[in-house]
Amino acid sequence: MKVDGQDIRTIWLDKDKTVVKIIDQRKLPHEFVIVDLKTVDDAITAIKDMYVRGAPLIGVTGAYAVYLATLNAPGAHIDPDYLATEADRIKAARPTAVNLSWGVEQVMSAIARQTESEKKIEAARIAAGAITEQEVENCRKIGEHGRSLIEQISRQKSGKTVNVLTHCNAGWLACIEHGTATAPIYAAFDHGLDVHVWVDETRPLNQGTRLTAWELGKHGVKHTIITDNAGGHIMQHGMVDIVIVGTDRTAVSGDVANKIGTYLKALAAWENHVPFYVALPSSTFDWNIKDGINAIPIEERDPDEIRYVQGVDHNGATSVLICPPDSPAANFAFDVTPARYVKGFITERGICKATEEDIKRLFPEKE
Amino acid sequence: MKVDGQDIRTIWLDKDKTVVKIIDQRKLPHEFVIVDLKTVDDAITAIKDMYVRGAPLIGVTGAYAVYLATLNAPGAHIDPDYLATEADRIKAARPTAVNLSWGVEQVMSAIARQTESEKKIEAARIAAGAITEQEVENCRKIGEHGRSLIEQISRQKSGKTVNVLTHCNAGWLACIEHGTATAPIYAAFDHGLDVHVWVDETRPLNQGTRLTAWELGKHGVKHTIITDNAGGHIMQHGMVDIVIVGTDRTAVSGDVANKIGTYLKALAAWENHVPFYVALPSSTFDWNIKDGINAIPIEERDPDEIRYVQGVDHNGATSVLICPPDSPAANFAFDVTPARYVKGFITERGICKATEEDIKRLFPEKE
């Protein structure tokens, strides 16, 4: 994607193929810092300390971490026990991230098919690269399928600005390129459609304000930050044409777990006849869960994420207490939007309704 | 109300009757500072710079400002032209605040009925005090009527904790005592009912986090701060028994203008069968407006209220930028909740449905 006119991804292998480059996302939007990952420890720190975040990006970082393990293996031959230990260390960096284990295992399998060290290194690099390209391709396809929805609205509005509302950051920063919820927006923009994005700030961690606003701005897409409170009002007044959000886990029944606050936007969209879409690679479907509201566990995070806000003042980056020092807070990280409020899913294979039947029409191998 | 065991109001006349005392609410919750108003200029600064906020409190401060004008009048006799000029200056401190003009006019009328300076001063003091007590009494009655709702839920739950959700600060800090939305909560608490309050932080200005959490905590009421995003999730999971909010203006048809985000909570309450009540003194009804959504103008405020967050760090009070420096933001300050989502109004005369017919049953003089 574009950053100050340059094409960039969230992760890439440097020309000499010994250094993995990432954006230190902790510093956004106030600083744009590229960090070199040269060792497994570098990669573990990047994953654990959230230099990188977002399921696809964490998976790819894990994959490249295994490649770094092969590069830095001690001795002339790569010891399988050494590699297995390193793989376990990488997977433990964020133990609940399914994509991380998956990315690591994919590269480990590719290595296991080789015997010579040079071949193992090459196989790891090719496998990590292939995972990367697969993620990019999934997001690109989501973008193409979702673009058709924006084009249709644009035609209905005779080319006038299409207003999209999104929540949290399901952007290219969470992926490699394109993003999930943002992919249709970028695809529409790159095709010359007039598109404007309402960016929910997404309390408590402000992923909208910090990340979505930054990446849209850098790519040149018109956008406006609003408080999470404002979505109902602007939908009521016809200022939103379509809502597109991402998801952390989606039940095969169509219930959608996503960042806390998504459910409130879905209710407002339903009430005001605004189509509410969820963009996702099919890896995000949970094929076993039929009742999202009762079966998807909702993480409660540290209340201090609410009590303190990160930002910059004249002294630089800081964190400010915004409530009475003794007031308790509860930090529910996700909520579940019932399938009936979801107009459709935008997947890499096309668009489907939020019903088990229609999801499995696109993914018949899951029957 | 209680602050660290002491009974306190938001405004009061000092014992020697020459100084008006207020809480400097700009410094809450990090500092509790009481400020002396000795002159009209002091009072104008307090109103204009928002040491005091909330319609009832602004009205009472304006009333006492006129009293200060009589006290500080130059010469032996109080010149009516001097008083009229001072009254205009006070009313101009926040020109859109209807209660401010009303409070000033009430005291000016009382003064006009007197001829001697001493009598004018006494009349001003008595009138300002009467307005104060009227506001307190309205809030007390709202509290008593609303308490019956909480008592009923408490009985249905066999005395288990009643969970109330509120948005913004319609608390005693916006009034003199009790508050409006908080009045039923304090009344229930003071009667020994087990009550807990979910406090919406209320972006962008965080009135929930800064003021509601502070006043509930100081009075000893159990409460938990949540992000504005969380209300849907906790209602979906049965963690809210009743929603009570305030209002800035309510159409006679029952449509409710209140702090941005109220509408989203009303939708979630409706969806999850949680009763949604609005507490208000009848002065907040707009008897001329039948279509709240289209007829009530929604103020757009400075986007920097979203882009910067106030708080304290190790260097003291500061304001931090939370978004890219060039990202635009839109700051809609209020929204309108359609009457059909409102279970009822809690007024000083009792509880009524959100219909013109039932509102006028309580206020037949408005027919």
Side-chain angles (χ1 to χ4, degrees), chain A residues 8 26 30 32 56-57 73 162 189 226 230 341:
Chain A
I8 195 165
R26 300 171 310 164
H30 308 298
F32 181 66
L57 177 53
V162 178
F189 175 82
I226 50 174
Y341 297 114

Side-chain angles (χ1 to χ4, degrees), chain B residues 119-281:
Chain B
K119 293 279 187 190
K120 283 179 195 277
I121 292 170
E122 190 188 4
R125 180 173 53 75
I126 290 170
I131 292 168
T132 308
E133 297 309 321
Q134 187 58 52
E135 294 287 2
V136 171
E137 183 62 8
N138 281 345
C139 290
R140 193 190 65 75
K141 284 178 177 166
I142 289 169
E144 285 309 304
H145 295 301
R147 176 169 65 97
S148 66
L149 297 170
I150 295 175
E151 269 175 343
Q152 197 181 333
I153 296 166
S154 176
R155 276 196 303 274
Q156 284 161 358
K157 294 184 80 174
S158 308
K160 288 209 191 89
T161 307
V162 177
N163 290 294
V164 183
L165 183 143
T166 192
H167 191 70
C168 198
N169 177 260
W172 69 266
L173 286 170
C175 304
I176 318 301
E177 283 206 54
H178 312 297
T180 54
T182 55
I185 296 166
Y186 289 124
F189 174 83
D190 291 345
H191 263 71
L193 292 171
D194 185 355
V195 62
H196 164 263
V197 184
W198 295 107
V199 178
D200 274 0
E201 65 174 353
T202 320
R203 288 282 294 146
L205 290 181
N206 299 342
Q207 290 91 340
T209 313
R210 291 192 300 109
L211 304 175
T212 305
W214 181 85
E215 63 165 88
L216 290 172
K218 287 297 180 188
H219 199 75
V221 179
K222 285 187 291 184
H223 66 281
T224 306
I225 296 168
I226 50 175
T227 61
D228 301 309
N229 282 324
H233 171 71
I234 62 174
M235 288 193 230
Q236 193 185 52
H237 288 266
M239 296 155 79
V240 180
D241 297 303
I242 183 171
V243 178
I244 310 177
V245 298
T247 169
D248 291 83
R249 197 197 290 202
T250 289
V252 67
S253 59
D255 297 338
V256 174
N258 191 40
K259 187 62 59 197
I260 190 82
T262 303
Y263 171 45
L264 291 170
K265 295 303 139 62
L267 290 174
W270 179 261
E271 159 80 4
N272 293 289
H273 312 291
V274 175
F276 181 94
Y277 281 92
V278 178
L280 73 170

